[in-house]
């Protein structure tokens, strides 16, 4: 489960079985679960799942927020979403991820400052103009960069 918790999005079948099993072995969750779990569920849910090792279904995991969505063919859905993300400006995708990763539990001013900084880097860049053009039928190619700061 901990490896999945580190993913940006998680898809599951309704009948899959998920658990934070360390309690079964007399351990606590590791592999950054203390960070990733708190970003997904309330503290009481995290404690219950961690302390009991209870096995839950994909449907319950979606209800709790442990998985993004539940469907019969999660691989097909993951590929569909990946293709949709890949069709967007790589700069805005990277900036969106950076924004949320760095500000999810930050103070409001830090969030707003980073949002402004990232937006300024995107505005009028080639990829931003190309993305806007695609809304009007102009299919300009995106330029892939190694880093957002390039």
């Amino acid at each position: 489960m901990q490896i999945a918790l580190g993913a940006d999005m998680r898809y599951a079948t309704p009948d899959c079985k998920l658990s934070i099993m360390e309690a079964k072995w007399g351990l606590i969750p590791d592999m950054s679960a203390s960070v990733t779990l708190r970003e997904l569920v309330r503290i009481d849910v995290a404690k219950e799942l961690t302390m009991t090792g209870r096995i839950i279904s994909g449907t319950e995991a979606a209800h709790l927020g442990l998985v993004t969505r539940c469907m019969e063919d999660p691989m097909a859905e993951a590929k569909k979403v990946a293709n949709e993300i890949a069709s967007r400006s790589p700069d805005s995708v990277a900036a969106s991820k950076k924004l949320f990763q760095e500000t999810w539990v930050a103070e409001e001013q830090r969030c707003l400052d980073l949002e402004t900084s990232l937006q300024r880097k995107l505005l009028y860049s080639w990829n931003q103009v190309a993305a806007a053009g695609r809304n009007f039928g102009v299919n300009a190619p995106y330029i892939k960069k190694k880093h957002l700061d390039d």
Side-chain angles (χ1 to χ4, degrees):
M1 181 72 178
Q2 279 83 334
I3 292 172
L5 291 176
D8 290 330
M9 293 152 224
R10 292 156 307 285
Y11 303 103
T13 60
D15 61 346
C16 82
K17 294 180 178 12
L18 302 164
S19 178
I20 301 171
M21 291 286 230
E22 284 80 359
K24 182 177 176 180
W25 305 106
L27 298 170
I28 62 170
D30 54 4
M31 297 175 57
S32 79
S34 61
V35 174
T36 54
L37 197 55
R38 73 178 181 201
E39 293 175 351
L40 300 174
V41 299
R42 298 183 326 248
I43 191 170
D44 59 323
V45 172
K47 287 178 180 180
E48 178 196 357
L49 295 175
T50 299
M51 293 176 189
T52 65
R54 183 168 65 88
I55 298 170
I56 61 173
S57 69
T59 302
E60 185 176 358
H63 176 73
L64 294 173
L66 285 172
V67 298
T68 307
R69 281 199 307 279
C70 204
M71 70 279 307
E72 290 302 322
D73 190 350
M75 182 60 79
E77 182 66 13
K79 288 178 180 179
K80 178 180 149 200
V81 171
N83 286 330
E84 186 172 343
I85 292 169
S87 75
R88 304 294 181 208
S89 163
D91 297 347
S92 70
V93 171
S96 296
K97 181 168 179 168
K98 181 179 179 80
L99 175 65
F100 290 121
Q101 290 299 123
E102 293 187 14
T103 64
W104 198 249
V105 293
E107 292 184 18
E108 287 181 10
Q109 191 60 54
R110 166 77 178 122
C111 300
L112 296 171
D113 290 345
L114 183 58
E115 182 181 294
T116 299
S117 171
L118 292 171
Q119 192 74 298
R120 284 183 176 155
K121 290 176 184 176
L122 294 173
L123 283 170
Y124 306 112
S125 67
W126 174 262
N127 285 342
Q128 188 270 314
V129 172
R134 289 177 179 212
N135 290 299
F136 299 101
V138 178
N139 195 11
Y142 290 125
I143 298 171
K144 304 231 188 239
K145 297 180 180 178
K146 289 184 181 178
H147 300 285
L148 188 59
D149 296 329
D150 290 348

